[in-house]
Amino acid sequence: MKILKLSTSLLMAAMMLTTAKAVAAKTETIERKKLLNTQWLFVENDSDFTKAKPVILPHDWSIHHRFDANVPAGGGGGYLPTGKGWYKRTLTLGKEYEGKKIRLYFEGVYMSSQVYINGKKAGGWPYGYSSFWVDATPYVQTGNNEIIVSVDNSKQPNCRWYSGSGIYRNVWLVTTDKTYFDDWSIAVSTPDTHHVNLTATVILPDGSTRPYQQTIEVENPRLWSPEDPYLYHTELTIPEGDRITVTYGIRTIEYSAEKGLFLNGKSINLNGACVHHDNGILGAAAFDDAEYRKARLMKEAGFNAVRTSHNPPSEAFLRACDELGLLVIDEAFDGWREKKNTNDYDYSTLFDQWWKKDIDAMVLRDRLHPSIFCWSTGNEVIERKKIEIIKTAHQLASRIHEIDPQNRPVTSALAAWDRDWDIYDPLAAEHDIVGYNYMIFKAESDHERVPSRVMMQTESYPRDAWRNYHTVQKHDYILGDFVWTGLDYIGESGIGRYYYEGDVPGESWERPLYPWHAAYCGDVDLTGERKPISYYRSMLWNGGQTHLAVREPDGYIGKVKTSMWSTWPTQHSWTWPNWEGKPIEVEVYSRQPKVSLYLNDKLIGEQETKEMKATFKLTYQPGTLRAEAGNERSEIQTAGAAKTIRLKAENYKDLSFITAELIDAQGRVVPASDTELTFAATGVTFLAAGNADIKDDDPYFDTKHRTWHGRCLAVVSKNGKKGTLSVSAKGLPTAKIAIK
């Protein structure tokens, strides 16, 4: 066992020194971990590689198709086709690889993957959300090696939201000597904030093992938190030469029904969001930059926590949560032994044989992340009325506690659609924290019955923002609320939609709702734009400036119909052509006690805020609408005709997200003038374009897409190059933006 005593500054200096040594060593030795995302060939629904096309990973073949009302995946899968696919890559190994341990690491393949090396089956994994390892050593040789990965996503439906299809996460070549660190054996524990224990298992050439332990004393620890997400890095080495850098945070978590949740000794309430794993118009492809952007959008929307509903996320997403400061509930499964629907091929088909392997894959992979404060074993399990469910919950939680040295709490999200909530008491007792899906109104009576129970609402309706905020503030035994959802997502098509009289009626589970192909219950839409509900929710939990929003007049397009997860269609817009002289409602979100509303500098009225909101009824006239509250003000103006296209880029390492906006002569977005845009990329690779309208069934891979509410998003891959994106529309000058 190694014992190091370092202050924070000395520790960082030591890290820099070891990093410098590692960089120098790379020039002399094989890279331990190397991306294998390029040079793949792909063929869909046919194993004949003479028909294959080159692809770069991450790759989701489903998103490269058109929406189709008749596909087997149905609305749950976003009306996109699935099927089977084959990938092939040649891996060339020089003589320097002789005598090495060679492994392939797949971060995620959806689903039922099989890996073949030089014609022999080497591994695979059925659950598409688990990462897995393949020992390639027995199958590879010096020279060229053929890797083939088969993917079978044909048994549908198997997911209640869009899964995507294919090798949708990174693939790595991991090369070491025959004595090496078992990557997933590495664990960090902090018995107190001044001591860090790092443990690992070293694999020996004969397959036996020896333990590794290192203890670090930190004199002035800088604790990880959402406000200060500070990360430490320590390099582990063994005499045989293997070395690996471990990234972790130092923090403490405590919780109780009497006091609530404490992070680093400070009380914290969870303003959380549920998120699915897709990246909107990019589909399920887990590009590192897209995963980082997803976490950033949640952070900027004011959330301090996310729930990875209902599967383990990508490593890139968890790294982003570590770096940005988002607490995470890491969730394993949507359900357990019983199907969600009678014709499903969901996780119930795998549970008995694979639950332990998949729990291990989640916890062993993810337990180093300081952002993870809680594990979840499932969601709305169907077999809740059967006594054997207690044993199942106990097995899952026990296995997690066995392999997580930090002993994080375990939850699962419970729901009772027929209101048989009280039967959950024995099941709830198997959890450290009890997840309430839409059932937080039972909290007070439950607390009287079971005073020691710690709760959090793991799903809630967006429209209940005030009630949920107020409930969490009122009761210490309720740790927080996770709204369904933080982001709009593909699949579960039509949930959260608003629609008009004459459209297909009802909720998403009642009937197919094509062409609605996505969910509209997110605080942030498919393009990354925050909806008014996002500003309201953030103001409740975080404070902030007064914000102005306008409710779409009932009858402006048609008579508005809302659904269970929807809010009334509301925009940050004062542009409503042909509605002059007719009634309209304005919402003002503010923490100030009083709000005044002005139209064209004329006072419309003054109201006291209730639940941090004031609603005004007035007659629509174009011009300038302004809300004032104390020293705060929010203003919107009526836009004129669209004159130009404005391009704004979010640049990351490999991807650029470019928002195209139709603007008038004064630079105001024109929300009522949607038009088709044509995108042309030079020097960079066009990946996708789309808007936030979940009823628009134009494919995302097409270079033509119309705006919605004046906006459209495009994504390009830079591949280490510079380039330009040009955007044109009929009657408007072409806009160009440099991609750096």
Side-chain angles (χ1 to χ4, degrees):
M1 180 178 73
K2 297 181 179 180
I3 301 178
L4 303 178
K5 185 173 183 179
L6 297 172
S7 67
T8 298
S9 58
L10 289 175
L11 179 60
M12 298 307 295
M15 287 160 39
M16 294 173 64
L17 177 61
T18 55
T19 301
K21 290 180 179 178
V23 171
K26 285 181 181 179
T27 62
E28 303 169 5
T29 60
I30 299 170
E31 193 174 1
R32 188 185 196 275
K33 192 175 181 182
K34 179 182 178 182
L35 266 178
L36 291 185
N37 282 355
T38 59
Q39 302 175 35
W40 289 89
L41 295 173
F42 170 72
V43 61
E44 185 179 351
N45 292 326
D46 190 335
S47 57
D48 182 1
F49 279 101
T50 63
K51 303 176 183 178
K53 297 180 179 179
V55 296
I56 296 175
L57 307 182
H59 178 248
D60 168 15
W61 80 68
S62 292
I63 202 67
H64 292 282
H65 285 274
R66 295 182 179 276
F67 298 102
D68 183 347
N70 300 311
V71 297
Y79 296 110
L80 286 166
T82 51
K84 299 180 180 181
W86 285 261
Y87 295 82
K88 183 171 76 170
R89 190 192 195 279
T90 298
L91 176 64
T92 303
L93 301 176
K95 290 186 177 181
E96 65 272 19
Y97 284 87
E98 291 180 354
K100 299 292 185 180
K101 185 72 173 181
I102 298 171
R103 295 173 291 158
L104 300 177
Y105 177 51
F106 292 83
E107 292 189 11
V109 183
Y110 204 90
M111 61 177 295
S112 298
S113 61
Q114 304 286 348
V115 180
Y116 301 88
I117 301 175
N118 293 327
K120 296 181 179 180
K121 183 179 175 180
W125 207 271
Y127 188 37
Y129 296 112
S130 285
S131 302
F132 63 95
W133 294 84
V134 173
D135 184 1
T137 312
Y139 308 101
V140 295
Q141 59 194 12
T142 302
N144 291 336
N145 297 272
E146 182 184 74
I147 302 172
I148 291 179
V149 181
S150 70
V151 186
D152 186 353
N153 195 21
S154 62
K155 293 180 179 179
Q156 293 291 334
N158 61 41
C159 201
R160 295 188 303 134
W161 59 92
Y162 178 73
S163 66
S165 302
I167 309 179
Y168 69 104
R169 293 179 182 166
N170 296 323
V171 177
W172 299 86
L173 173 67
V174 181
T175 307
T176 61
D177 290 329
K178 291 294 180 68
T179 300
Y180 64 97
F181 283 111
D182 177 1
D183 299 63
W184 281 4
S185 73
I186 299 169
V188 172
S189 62
T190 49
D192 58 66
T193 57
H194 292 275
H195 294 86
V196 178
N197 293 331
L198 297 103
T199 60
T201 299
V202 177
I203 309 295
L204 303 177
D206 62 1
S208 61
T209 63
R210 73 168 186 252
Y212 177 99
Q213 183 173 347
Q214 179 173 318
T215 298
I216 298 174
E217 295 184 17
V218 185
E219 291 183 356
N220 300 298
R222 186 169 167 183
L223 303 184
W224 186 97
S225 69
E227 298 75 28
D228 184 21
Y230 190 80
L231 298 172
Y232 286 88
H233 310 271
T234 298
E235 188 176 72
L236 310 184
T237 62
I238 55 176
E240 292 85 351
D242 196 16
R243 61 179 66 205
I244 192 167
T245 299
V246 181
T247 299
Y248 56 93
I250 301 174
R251 51 108 179 96
T252 63
I253 293 173
E254 301 169 274
Y255 58 94
S256 69
E258 294 76 24
K259 295 183 178 180
L261 179 65
F262 281 75
L263 180 67
N264 302 325
K266 297 180 180 178
S267 177
I268 182 172
N269 290 325
L270 301 172
N271 174 29
C274 298
V275 293
H276 275 315
H277 78 293
D278 71 292
N279 283 302
I281 66 175
L282 291 171
F287 298 97
D288 285 5
D289 290 343
E291 297 292 286
Y292 184 91
R293 179 178 185 260
K294 180 163 53 183
R296 181 184 63 78
L297 291 173
M298 293 295 88
K299 184 75 173 181
E300 292 180 355
F303 295 110
N304 64 6
V306 292
R307 171 182 171 229
T308 68
S309 47
H310 305 292
N311 53 265
S314 71
E315 291 188 61
F317 181 73
L318 291 176
R319 285 196 302 271
C321 292
D322 291 342
E323 294 170 8
L324 294 170
L326 280 169
L327 289 160
V328 176
I329 302 175
D330 199 350
E331 191 157 272
F333 315 123
D334 185 25
W336 296 344
R337 285 189 174 89
E338 290 202 14
K339 298 179 179 181
K340 296 289 186 181
N341 299 294
T342 55
N343 62 338
D344 276 2
Y345 297 91
D346 61 14
Y347 195 75
S348 63
T349 63
L350 301 173
F351 188 88
D352 283 326
Q353 184 179 354
W354 282 89
W355 73 261
K356 187 174 182 180
K357 297 173 186 175
D358 285 316
I359 285 290
D360 284 8
M362 176 181 76
V363 178
L364 296 178
R365 187 198 72 169
D366 295 347
R367 60 188 179 176
L368 291 173
H369 292 280
S371 56
I372 297 172
F373 80 97
C374 185
W375 307 103
S376 173
T377 57
N379 172 68
E380 298 177 3
V381 289
I382 299 300
E383 60 267 41
R384 62 184 182 274
K385 297 181 181 181
K386 296 183 177 180
I387 190 63
E388 55 264 33
I389 196 175
I390 309 304
K391 180 180 179 181
T392 302
H394 184 81
Q395 287 177 323
L396 293 166
S398 296
R399 181 56 182 168
I400 289 175
H401 286 312
E402 181 182 346
I403 60 177
D404 178 19
Q406 295 188 31
N407 199 34
R408 296 173 177 92
V410 173
T411 189
S412 72
L414 309 182
W417 300 115
D418 50 5
R419 293 301 186 258
D420 53 351
W421 182 254
D422 291 348
I423 68 168
Y424 273 126
D425 279 357
L427 177 58
E430 295 297 332
H431 299 90
D432 304 302
I433 301 172
V434 183
Y436 284 55
N437 278 12
Y438 312 100
M439 299 295 294
I440 206 64
F441 63 90
K442 299 286 288 186
E444 291 184 354
S445 59
D446 283 3
H447 179 67
E448 290 180 6
R449 189 175 67 256
V450 191
S452 62
R453 181 181 295 179
V454 182
M455 315 169 189
M456 58 186 170
Q457 187 162 222
T458 34
E459 289 182 24
S460 66
Y461 297 111
R463 65 178 63 181
D464 290 340
W466 167 260
R467 187 187 76 171
N468 296 325
Y469 164 75
H470 180 69
T471 301
V472 172
Q473 305 304 311
K474 184 179 178 182
H475 300 297
D476 288 335
Y477 54 85
I478 304 174
L479 306 187
D481 173 64
F482 288 77
V483 68
W484 191 267
T485 55
L487 288 152
D488 287 350
Y489 56 94
I490 303 174
E492 210 160 20
S493 299
I495 187 174
R497 69 178 182 142
Y498 63 89
Y499 58 101
Y500 302 106
E501 192 171 55
D503 285 332
V504 180
E507 299 290 345
S508 59
W509 66 86
E510 294 176 327
R511 61 184 59 86
L513 294 177
Y514 190 83
W516 283 271
H517 61 274
Y520 197 69
C521 47
D523 276 23
V524 178
D525 68 27
L526 285 173
T527 68
E529 192 75 15
R530 292 176 66 184
K531 303 174 188 176
I533 185 63
S534 172
Y535 290 94
Y536 178 57
R537 191 183 319 280
S538 183
M539 180 166 294
L540 293 177
W541 293 86
N542 307 304
Q545 292 292 307
T546 297
H547 188 83
L548 189 62
V550 181
R551 291 165 62 91
E552 179 181 311
D554 199 6
Y556 181 72
I557 296 175
K559 186 172 179 58
V560 175
K561 301 287 185 179
T562 58
S563 54
M564 289 178 66
W565 278 266
S566 70
T567 57
W568 190 274
T570 307
Q571 299 180 44
H572 189 68
S573 168
W574 194 241
T575 305
W576 304 92
N578 304 316
W579 199 252
E580 290 81 357
K582 297 181 181 180
I584 196 166
E585 291 188 20
V586 174
E587 295 180 348
V588 183
Y589 316 136
S590 180
R591 280 181 168 261
Q592 300 297 324
K594 290 184 179 180
V595 172
S596 300
L597 185 70
Y598 297 84
L599 177 57
N600 297 325
D601 293 327
K602 180 181 178 181
L603 179 65
I604 297 298
E606 183 180 82
Q607 288 189 27
E608 293 183 358
T609 53
K610 183 180 180 181
E611 300 177 356
M612 300 187 196
K613 181 190 296 186
T615 302
F616 296 84
K617 296 182 179 180
L618 63 155
T619 299
Y620 175 70
Q621 294 295 336
T624 299
L625 187 71
R626 184 176 75 255
E628 294 184 358
N631 294 324
E632 301 170 7
R633 65 169 53 194
S634 177
E635 182 178 288
I636 47 178
Q637 298 176 339
T638 304
K643 296 294 184 181
T644 57
I645 303 168
R646 179 169 61 200
L647 302 181
K648 300 185 297 184
E650 301 171 55
N651 288 310
Y652 298 89
K653 180 180 178 182
D654 297 313
L655 301 184
S656 285
F657 295 78
I658 299 96
T659 299
E661 297 176 324
L662 303 177
I663 59 172
D664 67 7
Q666 283 72 42
R668 297 171 294 214
V669 175
V670 185
S673 179
D674 293 324
T675 190
E676 184 179 81
L677 303 181
T678 300
F679 299 87
T682 303
V684 293
T685 302
F686 173 87
L687 294 181
N691 59 42
D693 183 3
I694 67 168
K695 191 180 179 182
D696 180 1
D697 61 353
D698 281 348
Y700 295 131
F701 61 82
D702 197 354
T703 55
K704 295 181 183 293
H705 218 98
R706 71 177 179 87
T707 60
W708 191 57
H709 294 167
R711 290 185 175 89
C712 191
L713 178 72
V715 186
V716 300
S717 173
K718 294 178 280 188
N719 299 319
K721 301 176 182 177
K722 298 179 180 179
T724 60
L725 182 72
S726 300
V727 185
S728 58
K730 185 177 180 180
L732 296 175
T734 297
K736 293 185 178 181
I737 190 169
I739 309 298
K740 299 180 181 179

